[in-house]
Amino acid sequence: SAVISQKPSRDICQRGTSLTIQCQVDSQVTMMFWYRQQPGQSLTLIATANQGSEATYESGFVIDKFPISRPNLTFSTLTVSNMSPEDSSIYLCSVGGTSGGSTDTQYFGPGTRLTVL
Amino acid sequence: ILNVEQSPQSLHVQEGDSTNFTCSFPSSNFYALHWYRWETAKSPEALFVMTLNGDEKKKGRISATLNTKEGYSYLYIKGSQPEDSATYLCAFKGGTSYGKLTFGQGTILTVHP
């Protein structure tokens, strides 16, 4: 299993500003994932962050809006840029699920609850 | 676009009741089905990863079944306790072990003492 921490746990931000969320894992992992859950919606994958290469973004998400850093195998950041109220969500980082085994589990951090005014 | 649906959206039960909810997912290109429990302000906790048609998994009072041919999974909680109150999420993984997880919207369970 993996223990994942995120900072901040919650924040209230003004429209037009940016927030960087940090994710720290207690072990080295190849791939880290960033998800968000908008109110009343499903957990949705934003991007996959690989160490040493650019992140891979899902349809509907772009690097200019959600830049990601992955400086080493235990750490990643997600920035939510030029925020609007529609960005109010819970943002979660996740690791695992890629060992190649059919029963590999994906582990999640506790989330960052973001409110944009 | 993959469609993963969970029902009901929310559920209120009394302590001691048994309950169940449903996850439906595409029956084609199936690889795995994950169940998570997510309590407020905590990390989603992995409950089960199910891969074979007919699979049944159990963890304490919680169990799950899987039907890949018709595309559904049931999660059962026997003798619900207030500490079972949480959002229960299912997630479908298609294709390969490297496929991404597509989540349902979750079932919010509240167990009243």
Side-chain angles (χ1 to χ4, degrees):
Chain A
S1 67
V3 177
I4 304 170
S5 60
Q6 285 185 234
K7 288 182 184 179
S9 58
R10 58 175 63 232
D11 209 341
I12 300 173
C13 300
Q14 295 297 320
R15 181 195 298 259
T17 63
S18 298
L19 176 72
T20 295
I21 302 168
Q22 299 179 7
C23 177
Q24 180 76 51
V25 189
D26 68 343
S27 57
Q28 293 186 337
V29 294
T30 306
M31 294 167 75
M32 295 175 77
F33 307 91
W34 285 99
Y35 288 81
R36 78 171 180 190
Q37 186 188 43
Q38 294 177 297
Q41 303 296 313
S42 310
L43 265 178
T44 302
L45 182 63
I46 298 171
T48 302
N50 303 319
Q51 197 271 332
S53 64
E54 284 203 5
T56 304
Y57 289 82
E58 296 298 307
S59 175
F61 298 97
V62 295
I63 188 171
D64 289 346
K65 176 67 176 177
F66 297 101
I68 287 171
S69 80
R70 184 78 203 274
N72 58 53
L73 291 173
T74 63
F75 187 79
S76 177
T77 67
L78 170 78
T79 298
V80 186
S81 303
N82 189 24
M83 288 184 283
S84 66
E86 292 71 39
D87 295 318
S88 297
S89 299
I90 302 174
Y91 291 86
L92 296 102
C93 72
S94 175
V95 305
T98 59
S99 69
S102 60
T103 58
D104 55 342
T105 299
Q106 204 159 321
Y107 300 96
F108 287 85
T112 295
R113 190 177 294 268
L114 171 64
T115 302
V116 184
L117 302 177
Chain B
I1 296 177
L2 293 176
N3 213 22
V4 180
E5 300 281 344
Q6 290 188 247
S7 64
Q9 284 191 342
S10 65
L11 195 54
H12 291 257
V13 302
Q14 290 297 126
E15 183 175 356
D17 288 350
S18 293
T19 187
N20 65 85
F21 15 96
T22 308
C23 172
S24 63
F25 51 85
S27 55
S28 61
N29 205 30
F30 176 87
Y31 188 80
L33 194 282
H34 294 230
W35 280 101
Y36 289 87
R37 174 170 60 201
W38 192 6
E39 296 178 66
T40 304
K42 295 186 178 179
S43 304
E45 172 198 356
L47 290 174
F48 306 114
V49 180
M50 309 180 79
T51 57
L52 298 175
N53 185 45
D55 242 358
E56 289 190 30
K57 300 243 176 173
K58 189 174 180 182
K59 185 176 181 178
R61 293 179 291 98
I62 304 176
S63 60
T65 61
L66 179 68
N67 183 322
T68 60
K69 293 184 178 179
E70 296 183 38
Y72 64 84
S73 175
Y74 293 132
L75 189 80
Y76 300 90
I77 302 178
K78 186 177 178 182
S80 303
Q81 300 296 310
E83 56 265 29
D84 296 327
S85 298
T87 298
Y88 290 82
L89 300 169
C90 69
F92 169 84
K93 180 181 275 191
T96 70
S97 62
Y98 300 98
K100 66 178 184 179
L101 290 178
T102 300
F103 283 84
Q105 289 183 301
T107 293
I108 302 170
L109 174 67
T110 304
V111 182
H112 299 278

